[in-house]
Amino acid sequence: MTVYVNRTEDGLQSQIDNFLNKVPNYSQLGLDATKLKDLRNDWTLMSWLLGTGTAFSTFSTSITAYKIVLRSGGNLGAVPTIPTVAATPSATSGGMEKRFRDLIQDAVRSGNLTDAIAKDLGIVAPDESSSSQSREAAQPCFKLSYSSGGYPLIIWKKGK
């Protein structure tokens, strides 16, 4: 079994959420409660950061659009309001991904991690056959010919 940790922010956040919600069902893995609590604190802070970042990014876009309409003319409507956010969660020591990877390795070393449990926890690597098929489907279709000057030409269509 090959374990997998998502590398994108949203993907990792979702994967850790799934892991934290389901791991209490698998006490046979013997995972350290302190490590799980620390990972939960990291997850909470990261969720807050992602949500707050999205709210302020949306606000920034609205302010920019409002500024453009104000300058060039048009229906202004209401001035965008600054988003309100929840209270900031307590800071953590950081290293959320490393902590998550350590917990996965603890589960593997326990000897009680089965393929079914790993799949339920969302830590199984994606199937290689599907990714290799998508790579093959992505191969470009092109023709080679020579120009009148004897130089090679690559002829291909972008898209359809």
Side-chain angles (χ1 to χ4, degrees), residues 10 44-58 83-85:
D10 291 332
T44 301
L45 181 57
M46 182 62 87
S47 293
W48 183 86
L49 290 169
L50 291 174
T52 301
T54 300
F56 278 99
S57 176
T58 302
T84 57
V85 295

Side-chain angles (χ1 to χ4, degrees), residues 1-136:
M1 156 185 31
T2 305
V3 295
Y4 166 74
V5 174
N6 197 311
R7 300 289 297 180
T8 66
E9 283 182 345
D10 291 332
L12 178 63
Q13 194 67 8
S14 177
Q15 185 181 24
I16 291 175
D17 182 41
N18 178 66
F19 182 86
L20 288 171
N21 286 327
K22 293 182 178 178
V23 80
N25 300 329
Y26 302 108
S27 59
Q28 69 268 31
L29 298 177
L31 297 179
D32 184 356
T34 304
K35 287 182 180 180
L36 287 168
K37 182 180 177 248
D38 290 344
L39 183 62
R40 172 67 69 184
N41 292 340
D42 288 340
W43 179 88
T44 301
L45 181 57
M46 182 62 87
S47 293
W48 183 86
L49 290 169
L50 291 174
T52 301
T54 300
F56 278 99
S57 176
T58 302
F59 172 70
S60 175
T61 302
S62 300
I63 286 290
T64 302
Y66 192 85
K67 184 176 60 174
I68 290 169
V69 172
L70 175 65
R71 183 175 177 167
S72 62
N75 183 9
L76 281 175
V79 176
T81 57
I82 296 174
T84 57
V85 295
T88 307
S90 57
T92 66
S93 61
M96 179 175 77
E97 185 175 338
K98 181 185 181 318
R99 188 172 289 115
F100 183 48
R101 288 179 181 276
D102 289 346
L103 277 165
I104 291 171
Q105 288 307 311
D106 290 347
V108 170
R109 282 191 289 264
S110 75
N112 296 322
L113 183 68
T114 64
D115 288 340
I117 292 173
K119 189 171 185 171
D120 189 40
L121 293 175
I123 57 173
V124 175
D127 185 20
E128 287 296 321
S129 63
S130 62
S131 61
S132 65
Q133 289 172 353
S134 63
R135 280 194 299 264
E136 295 208 5

